[in-house]
Amino acid sequence: MFAKPFRVKSNTVLKGSDRRKLKADLSVAFPSLSADDLSELVPNKEEINVVRIYAHKGEAVTLYVLHKTPIFFELEKRLYPTVYVLWRHPSLLPVFRTWAPVLQKLIGGADLMLPGVVRPSCGLPDVKQGSCCAVLIVNNRAPVAVGKAATSTTEMQSSGMKGRGVYVLHTYMDYLWAFGDKSNPPSLPDEDGEIEDTNREKCEINEEEEGRDDDDDFGTCAEEQQSSGETVTDQACCGFEELNLTETEEDKVESSNEKGEENQDKQKTPHEEMDALLLQCFLHALKSKVKKSELPLLTSTFLRNHMFTCCPSGKQLDIKKSSYKKLSKFLQVMQQQHNLVQVKELTKGVESIVEVDWKNQQLRSFSVPEEAGVEETAVLSGEGEAPYHPPEITTLYSVSARLEPLFLDANKRKGMTMFPADVRSIITEYVKKNELVDENNKNYVTINPTLCDCLLEKSEYQEVECLKWDDLFSRTLGRMQECYQVVFPGQAATVKKGHIEPIDISVASRGSNKKVTLIKNLEVYGLDPAVVATALQHRVQASSVLQILPGAKDRVLVQIQGNQVHQVGNLLLDHYQIPRKYIQGLDKAPKGGKKK
């Protein structure tokens, strides 16, 4: 399922009530997990993200991510653990063993076939069809794949161990694994790994035949469904060499040292990572952005115009996620411990940077990242992706059952759509063909029985004998079903009934005196809510959140702190070129009053 890249739809923080529900669902799905295990996997005070994605075949999958590492994924309302969780709890699922060469086939998108399953002396695990299970390599208990059983254990044995054994959903080295910290499987001794002699002999024969013919036993053990994973599978073989029991003691020492160094980097907490990013952006801004002539410089201006523009691409600077929590505390540390700047309160409640030590050794030794200059503009506006082109929206009219007799001559049946100009030309042609233009006043059209039934109310049957041209057209369009056609660049046109929903901007209150700006219906115009939220976040320097819109399928609400209607309007009108008539709520922008 994850052998090819997937598309992220939304990324939100798990709420407290949803966290409790997730724990309850996990305890039901995996009864072997104790309360302590659940608290470790779903901690109460750690931030857990809910990432909704679409796999390459269109499947909707929900990921639960802790410390930037996926721990569980939900498919068709069923929870599955990732390999990262199974490495910590290897006995969580029933396991099937296989040989190392099969792994590269699984990574490429293949399922585990029964001829490739190794039967230990204790026998195969007892599973039912559709049961969640794991796959591991012989002599190592660390699972390398997660899936569901294709058949029950009884059926596997009665079939002579032929056919499909496990539908593989997720493997080590696939794109879901790459979404996490990309760590390698630990080496866990396999206590139940004694293999039956007959099975061992079959394996030796298979290995000999594989050397002669690539498409033999191991080729049938795992059907290769995709050829796009060649590069990944080569890496998998290299990475999995660490699990080979025949490696020398020197190799073990070297690999353990390498893992130790990697773990030191990976043991950084989110606070430490944000502190390092904050310091990098601070030094970058001082070295390449701030000029002596700009001093004294407001600390808020320094953050907005200098530090944020120095943030590397793919990362987001958020002081609230650092250990400092506030810019003033961070600058205080930079002043007292590093002697980089001097900060003073020139106006009550407003701090400014009044002096920078340009000769500071830490500042002089800092090297500016090469990509900074290239990425600056994209980070400022959040417009680093492919350029957006607004859709072409056109109003159409559909023939209703009542008006169908009026359009029969033009071969237009009920439900067929037309442009307003086409409707006018058909009506004009009908009037002329039936000689309904008033001889005394050509501005009027005589009403015949067909026009009477189609356009007049019952009370008008005896009173109205003729209509003006404009009235005739307006009555015709008014009795037709209004539709709209949306055409995105490079895509086929789509027609829908009714009026197109405008992008709705509203302001709501949160707490005592806090306001937030809410934006919805961005998807109607082909806008990615996550991209818009990031662009606004960089523009206004305020936090933003994505929320699932209740009662609307596949719709996401963007919430940004403060009344930002003016900035939202500028982004939609100027950058995305959305016509003003398709934006609702621009009048809710704060009105600037005169200062007394």
Side-chain angles (χ1 to χ4, degrees):
M1 174 173 285
F2 304 105
K4 291 185 178 181
F6 51 79
R7 178 170 65 88
V8 176
K9 176 188 172 187
S10 63
N11 187 343
T12 57
V13 178
L14 189 68
K15 296 180 181 178
S17 57
D18 294 332
R19 189 187 298 258
R20 290 190 293 272
K21 182 178 182 302
L22 176 60
K23 277 189 176 181
D25 292 342
L26 289 175
S27 63
V28 173
F30 310 106
S32 60
L33 288 175
S34 64
D36 293 338
D37 293 334
L38 289 172
S39 298
E40 178 190 356
L41 293 171
V42 189
N44 292 326
K45 296 185 178 180
E46 297 288 343
E47 185 177 283
I48 296 178
N49 290 77
V50 181
V51 183
R52 288 178 169 81
I53 66 170
Y54 288 118
H56 70 279
K57 290 185 178 179
E59 304 99 324
V61 185
T62 301
L63 309 181
Y64 295 94
V65 181
L66 174 67
H67 298 155
K68 298 182 180 180
T69 298
I71 51 175
F72 293 95
F73 64 95
E74 186 175 351
L75 175 65
E76 297 176 349
K77 297 183 179 180
R78 184 173 182 179
L79 288 166
Y80 297 89
T82 65
V83 290
Y84 292 110
V85 169
L86 292 178
W87 293 341
R88 293 156 63 182
H89 302 275
S91 58
L92 183 62
L93 299 177
V95 296
F96 290 89
R97 292 167 176 80
T98 189
W99 301 102
V102 178
L103 174 61
Q104 56 185 312
K105 304 291 185 181
L106 302 181
I107 294 173
D111 293 327
L112 179 65
M113 307 304 288
L114 289 175
V117 174
V118 178
R119 282 185 285 184
S121 56
C122 58
L124 293 175
D126 186 15
V127 296
K128 298 179 181 179
Q129 184 177 4
S131 298
C132 185
C133 53
V135 179
L136 54 81
I137 301 300
V138 172
N139 295 325
N140 189 357
R141 288 179 60 228
V144 293
V146 181
K148 52 186 180 180
T151 60
S152 65
T153 305
T154 305
E155 291 173 342
M156 291 180 189
Q157 293 172 340
S158 62
S159 66
M161 296 301 286
K162 292 181 180 180
R164 187 173 277 102
V166 178
Y167 293 112
V168 176
L169 301 175
H170 157 54
T171 68
Y172 162 63
M173 290 296 289
D174 66 4
Y175 281 91
L176 179 58
W177 169 86
F179 197 67
D181 59 18
K182 300 182 182 180
S183 56
N184 292 322
S187 182
L188 305 176
D190 191 0
E191 298 171 358
D192 302 326
E194 292 185 9
I195 305 166
E196 294 180 358
D197 292 338
T198 56
N199 215 6
R200 193 188 302 266
E201 291 172 4
K202 286 182 181 179
C203 171
E204 291 172 359
I205 296 172
N206 284 342
E207 288 178 348
E208 292 174 4
E209 292 180 352
E210 185 186 24
R212 294 193 299 268
D213 187 0
D214 291 338
D215 294 330
D216 222 6
D217 279 341
F218 275 122
T220 58
C221 291
E223 292 182 333
E224 185 171 9
Q225 299 169 345
Q226 321 235 353
S227 61
S228 61
E230 293 178 0
T231 305
V232 178
T233 54
D234 291 342
Q235 295 174 1
C237 293
C238 297
F240 210 79
E241 285 176 1
E242 295 177 14
L243 305 179
N244 196 335
L245 296 180
T246 61
E247 65 181 354
T248 61
E249 292 298 326
E250 293 179 0
D251 291 336
K252 288 181 179 179
V253 173
E254 289 178 3
S255 62
S256 62
N257 290 339
E258 290 174 0
K259 287 181 182 178
E261 293 174 1
E262 291 176 359
N263 288 336
Q264 287 180 356
D265 295 335
K266 292 169 186 173
Q267 285 173 356
K268 281 188 176 181
T269 64
H271 283 327
E272 291 173 342
E273 290 179 359
M274 189 56 66
D275 289 351
L277 180 61
L278 197 61
L279 180 59
Q280 176 187 329
C281 296
F282 174 75
L283 295 173
H284 184 181
L286 288 182
K287 190 159 187 175
S288 62
K289 302 291 181 182
V290 179
K291 299 178 182 178
K292 194 171 183 179
S293 58
E294 295 180 358
L295 301 178
L297 179 65
L298 289 175
T299 55
S300 57
T301 304
F302 173 69
L303 175 67
R304 181 175 60 253
N305 294 347
H306 300 308
M307 286 186 65
F308 275 104
T309 61
C310 295
C311 185
S313 61
K315 295 187 178 181
Q316 187 171 313
L317 189 62
D318 190 345
I319 294 179
K320 291 183 179 180
K321 292 183 180 180
S322 69
S323 60
Y324 303 102
K325 303 299 181 185
K326 294 182 179 179
L327 178 63
S328 56
K329 290 185 178 180
F330 171 73
L331 292 175
Q332 185 178 3
V333 172
M334 295 299 104
Q335 176 177 334
Q336 295 177 355
Q337 298 182 13
H338 298 268
N339 298 319
L340 284 163
V341 293
Q342 282 192 18
V343 180
K344 290 186 179 179
E345 194 174 293
L346 300 181
T347 308
K348 187 177 181 181
V350 180
E351 292 185 336
S352 299
I353 298 174
V354 297
E355 188 177 339
V356 177
D357 185 6
W358 309 103
K359 296 181 180 180
N360 185 285
Q361 184 61 34
Q362 187 177 3
L363 182 60
R364 293 179 66 181
S365 61
F366 176 78
S367 57
V368 177
E370 295 179 359
E371 65 171 352
V374 179
E375 300 292 342
E376 178 179 339
T377 306
V379 171
L380 247 178
S381 57
E383 299 143 15
E385 301 295 328
Y388 169 82
H389 298 286
E392 182 182 338
I393 303 168
T394 310
T395 301
L396 300 177
Y397 290 90
S398 173
V399 178
S400 61
R402 181 177 178 181
L403 294 184
E404 190 173 8
L406 201 56
F407 292 92
L408 285 177
D409 292 342
N411 293 322
K412 299 292 184 183
R413 304 294 178 181
K414 178 185 174 183
M416 297 183 70
T417 57
M418 292 174 284
F419 293 100
D422 296 334
V423 175
R424 292 176 69 94
S425 63
I426 291 173
I427 296 299
T428 302
E429 184 64 26
Y430 176 85
V431 170
K432 290 180 179 179
K433 182 178 179 181
N434 292 275
E435 299 179 352
L436 299 177
V437 179
D438 194 315
E439 294 179 357
N440 299 323
N441 189 344
K442 295 185 181 293
N443 291 329
Y444 285 85
V445 176
T446 303
I447 301 298
N448 67 355
T450 302
L451 289 177
C452 179
D453 293 338
C454 293
L455 302 180
L456 298 184
E457 301 293 341
K458 288 185 178 181
S459 59
E460 297 176 323
Y461 284 175
Q462 303 300 327
E463 299 176 1
V464 179
E465 295 181 354
C466 57
L467 291 172
K468 283 186 175 183
W469 280 102
D470 289 342
D471 193 12
L472 181 70
F473 293 138
S474 62
R475 283 174 180 252
T476 303
L477 294 175
R479 282 162 175 74
M480 297 180 75
Q481 170 71 55
E482 188 171 341
C483 309
Y484 64 91
Q485 174 181 277
V486 181
V487 182
F488 288 97
Q491 298 182 22
T494 56
V495 178
K496 296 184 179 180
K497 292 183 179 180
H499 299 273
I500 188 170
E501 296 179 276
I503 296 176
D504 185 69
I505 307 171
S506 59
V507 179
S509 298
R510 296 286 188 269
S512 57
N513 195 27
K514 292 183 180 179
K515 295 188 180 298
V516 293
T517 303
L518 309 175
I519 313 149
K520 60 183 180 181
N521 299 334
L522 292 168
E523 299 90 342
V524 177
Y525 299 84
L527 290 169
D528 187 344
V531 174
V532 174
T534 303
L536 287 171
Q537 192 168 6
H538 285 300
R539 286 192 174 210
V540 304
Q541 308 307 323
S543 62
S544 63
V545 179
L546 297 178
Q547 299 177 349
I548 301 299
L549 199 59
K553 186 179 180 181
D554 297 334
R555 295 285 182 89
V556 177
L557 177 76
V558 176
Q559 174 181 304
I560 188 160
Q561 191 174 12
N563 186 333
Q564 310 294 351
V565 175
H566 183 67
Q567 292 288 350
V568 174
N570 288 343
L571 181 67
L572 296 175
L573 293 169
D574 299 337
H575 175 64
Y576 291 119
Q577 301 293 315
I578 303 294
R580 184 178 289 270
K581 64 181 178 179
Y582 298 124
I583 303 175
Q584 177 180 291
L586 293 175
D587 57 329
K588 296 181 176 65
K591 297 174 175 59
K594 294 182 179 179
K595 294 182 180 180
K596 296 182 179 179

